[in-house]
């Protein structure tokens, strides 16, 4: 059994670890509040773009764009090279957050081996490099504090490959915060879109009774809007993933704090038992010595 000195050293070590995990919990909660505010601020912009795209389809029914599935079907789009943007964190200590996103990306690679990976986050870069999975492009800036400028840079690279025909489909693997207590990794097809994605959401809007004039034409306007829409989607995915990362880190650090408190309670109980045993042994030795002295004097 360990002595009092070893147990006390262990208690001090656990106490220092708890200070670190508690500080990480507080930092993650602060970042989460800011990220949620940024996520709420992006929704009006995103919804406005959706509304404009729906308006175009409702006023110009014959408009065509390579960003959408053709009306007659999607023959040939399931072949060719896919592009996949994988969003991970820069570090661990966030539960299963990174592993869930990587599992989604690996599942897509198994279904379609001809997939090029575009990776955001140091954790994902290390994983794919260690497992010798080719990375088409790695965005070297940090996954922390996503900005619209970074989203536009990612969007420009992906759209360039899609416009030139090098990529037939583009997927985004990110973590979606379904609620304040739950989140899950998603693999979402970003391009091309189904027309029904925008048509079905127009039920609650007012009907368009007069036509619109598009300059230079409806297709040019739609293609211009789609570039902004893709950038907005990627920006929203970056912020959503960042929120989930902080939420996962808060959960992991909270569990670590609870485990540290339980461990400290067990160590304190063990320390008291060892100390009481040592005190009892000392009292027994003193009593035995005193008894021996009395017997010696009686003789």
């Amino acid at each position: 059994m360990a002595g009092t000195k070893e147990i006390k050293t262990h208690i001090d070590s656990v106490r220092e670890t708890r200070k670190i995990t508690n500080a990480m919990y507080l930092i993650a909660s602060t970042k989460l509040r800011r990220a949620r505010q940024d996520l709420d601020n992006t929704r009006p912009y995103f919804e406005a773009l959706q509304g404009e795209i729906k308006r175009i389809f409702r006023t110009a029914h014959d408009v065509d764009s390579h960003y959408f599935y053709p009306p007659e079907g999607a023959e040939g789009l399931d072949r060719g090279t896919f592009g996949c943007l994988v969003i991970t964190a820069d570090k661990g200590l966030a539960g299963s957050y990174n592993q869930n996103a990587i599992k989604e990306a690996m599942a897509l690679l198994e279904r379609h081996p001809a997939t090029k990976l575009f990776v955001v986050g140091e954790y994902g870069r290390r994983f794919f490099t260690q497992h010798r999975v080719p990375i088409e492009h790695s965005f070297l800036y940090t996954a922390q504090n996503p900005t619209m400028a970074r989203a536009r840079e990612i969007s420009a690279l992906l759209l360039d490959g899609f416009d030139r025909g090098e990529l037939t489909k583009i997927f985004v693997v990110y973590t979606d915060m379904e609620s304040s207590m739950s989140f899950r990794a998603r693999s979402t097809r970003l391009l091309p879109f189904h027309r029904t994605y925008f048509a079905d959401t127009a039920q609650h809007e007012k009907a368009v009774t007069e036509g619109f004039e598009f300059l230079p034409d409806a297709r040019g306007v739609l293609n211009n809007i789609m570039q902004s829409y893709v950038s907005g989607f990627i920006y929203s995915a970056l912020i959503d993933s960042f929120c989930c990362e902080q939420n996962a880190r808060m959960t992991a650090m909270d569990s670590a704090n609870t485990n540290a408190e339980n461990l400290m309670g067990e160590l304190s109980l063990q320390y008291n038992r060892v100390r009481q045993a040592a005190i009892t042994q000392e009292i027994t030795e003193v009593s035995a010595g005193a008894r021996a002295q009395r017997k010696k004097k009686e003789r």
Side-chain angles (χ1 to χ4, degrees):
M1 181 181 291
T4 56
K5 183 178 180 181
E6 290 80 4
I7 297 175
K8 191 173 182 180
T9 302
H10 195 179
I11 292 175
D12 293 338
S13 176
V14 174
R15 184 178 290 112
E16 293 299 322
T17 302
R18 188 180 63 172
K19 290 180 181 179
I20 297 174
T21 56
N22 187 55
M24 293 181 66
Y25 176 88
L26 296 176
I27 293 172
S29 63
T30 302
K31 290 182 177 180
L32 178 61
R33 285 195 298 270
R34 294 177 180 175
R36 278 181 176 173
Q37 183 63 40
D38 292 339
L39 184 61
D40 292 337
N41 292 337
T42 62
R43 287 174 180 170
Y45 170 79
F46 207 59
E47 293 173 355
L49 285 179
Q50 283 182 321
E52 294 305 317
I53 296 172
K54 288 185 289 184
R55 186 175 301 177
I56 292 175
F57 277 117
R58 284 161 36 185
T59 55
H61 302 284
D62 58 343
V63 64
D64 187 22
S65 173
H66 67 287
Y67 292 125
F68 291 84
Y69 279 103
E72 62 275 7
E75 296 182 1
L77 291 179
D78 290 332
R79 298 187 295 270
T81 303
F82 292 177
C84 180
L85 175 65
V86 185
I87 302 175
T88 62
D90 289 326
K91 55 186 177 181
L93 298 177
S96 59
Y97 166 79
N98 289 299
Q99 288 299 324
N100 289 339
I102 290 175
K103 286 180 182 178
E104 288 292 331
M106 296 302 292
L108 179 61
L109 285 173
E110 290 179 2
R111 294 194 303 269
H112 194 86
T115 300
K116 295 181 179 181
L117 295 181
F118 300 82
V119 182
V120 175
E122 184 62 29
Y123 193 98
R125 284 192 289 269
R126 288 200 307 266
F127 177 87
F128 292 121
T129 301
Q130 291 173 359
H131 290 77
R132 298 181 179 178
V133 178
I135 298 176
E136 178 67 18
H137 187 86
S138 179
F139 300 96
L140 298 180
Y141 44 73
T142 175
Q144 306 291 315
N145 302 322
T147 63
M148 193 64 190
R150 294 174 178 175
R152 288 194 179 100
E153 180 182 343
I154 297 172
S155 174
L157 183 63
L158 294 176
L159 286 175
D160 182 64
F162 186 80
D163 292 338
R164 291 189 297 177
E166 298 176 358
L167 303 175
T168 58
K169 288 185 180 181
I170 296 178
F171 291 83
V172 179
V173 175
Y174 69 103
T175 309
D176 180 28
M177 179 174 287
E178 298 176 338
S179 67
S180 60
M181 299 299 295
S182 64
F183 53 88
R184 71 184 184 94
R186 292 181 179 271
S187 178
T188 302
R189 188 190 69 253
L190 180 58
L191 290 175
F193 286 102
H194 279 295
R195 299 168 185 266
T196 55
Y197 177 78
F198 295 96
D200 293 343
T201 56
Q203 298 176 357
H204 63 282
E205 297 182 1
K206 295 181 179 179
V208 178
T209 57
E210 297 182 2
F212 292 92
E213 181 180 358
F214 300 100
L215 296 176
D217 53 27
R219 181 176 181 177
V221 173
L222 181 62
N223 290 342
N224 192 7
I225 293 179
M226 288 308 303
Q227 295 177 4
S228 299
Y229 183 85
V230 170
S231 299
F233 186 96
I234 293 176
Y235 180 53
S236 178
L238 290 172
I239 296 181
D240 207 0
S241 296
F242 183 68
C243 288
C244 294
E245 176 193 349
Q246 302 309 318
N247 194 4
R249 183 162 292 113
M250 286 176 60
T251 303
M253 294 302 102
D254 184 61
S255 298
N257 289 335
T258 302
N259 293 335
E261 290 176 359
N262 294 335
L263 181 57
M264 287 180 60
E266 295 175 0
L267 291 174
S268 297
L269 182 60
Q270 184 180 354
Y271 176 80
N272 291 332
R273 287 176 178 174
V274 172
R275 188 180 63 175
Q276 291 295 333
I279 293 173
T280 302
Q281 183 177 358
E282 291 178 2
I283 294 174
T284 302
E285 292 175 353
V286 171
S287 299
R291 187 163 51 253
Q293 290 293 331
R294 286 197 303 270
K295 289 182 179 179
K296 185 177 180 181
K297 289 181 181 179
E298 290 175 358
R299 290 177 184 176

